[in-house]
Amino acid sequence: RSAHRAQNTNNSLPEIKFPCRPMLGVIGLAPKGELEISTMPAGKHGGNLDNKINTIGSTIHIPVNHPGALLSIGDMHASQGDGEICGTGVEVSGDVLLSCSITDSSEIAENEYPITETKTHWVTHGVAVEDIPRATTIASEEAALLLTKEWGFSMEDACVFLGVAGDLGLCQAIHPDKGTVIAKMS
């Protein structure tokens, strides 16, 4: 990993550096009932999640709806902040080496939306069109479900735990696709 140096075209600004954090904006499978769709909007099938933690070393669990899963990846960024607030990160081309496997549904909670697993966190997603409160509610409900299924929490304990230790945020708030909002809970 290296630092990216933004070209300073305005002499009144200081030199700006930020770390290179490669990530995939799009990772998804074919949704239920349909074999061919656009990568936008995102949904239960994944798609353009634009979550900066979908990066090197992450495991992304997505429900499979069709034989062969029909994986789609792309929209690589060298770096992107939460919310992708100006509609873009540092868009780049690149090569991706990934490993795919089908996991028995008994090995992970049967959540409806993608779950990203890192070395330190499990992150759930919620997607809604033009409705940030709904997207955050879905991400929170998905996190509570994960805690009940994977770690044996009661729903009440899961909600209390998330209220104390959970981090709720937005992966995508301003998007070229009309109103798609993606929330995450870790």
Side-chain angles (χ1 to χ4, degrees), residues 156-168:
E156 182 179 358
D157 288 343
C159 290
V160 170
F161 177 80
L162 291 170
V164 173
D167 291 316
L168 182 62

Side-chain angles (χ1 to χ4, degrees), residues 113-130:
Y113 288 83
I115 300 169
T116 302
E117 178 184 354
T118 71
K119 289 180 182 177
T120 59
H121 291 81
W122 288 76
V123 179
T124 57
H125 295 84
V127 179
V129 176
E130 297 183 354

Side-chain angles (χ1 to χ4, degrees), residues 49-128:
L49 295 171
D50 275 330
N51 191 338
K52 69 181 185 182
I53 65 161
N54 291 341
T55 187
I56 297 166
S58 296
T59 299
I60 304 159
H61 305 271
I62 305 172
V64 175
N65 299 302
H66 298 281
L70 306 174
L71 174 68
S72 176
I73 62 170
D75 190 25
M76 185 179 284
H77 298 78
S79 190
Q80 177 182 297
D82 282 333
E84 196 178 23
I85 60 171
C86 68
T88 188
V90 179
E91 310 280 338
V92 296
S93 63
D95 296 320
V96 176
L97 177 63
L98 58 90
S99 173
C100 297
S101 61
I102 303 278
T103 305
D104 185 312
S105 63
S106 65
E107 293 180 35
I108 187 164
E110 294 182 26
N111 286 54
E112 291 188 41
Y113 288 83
I115 300 169
T116 302
E117 178 184 354
T118 71
K119 289 180 182 177
T120 59
H121 291 81
W122 288 76
V123 179
T124 57
H125 295 84
V127 179

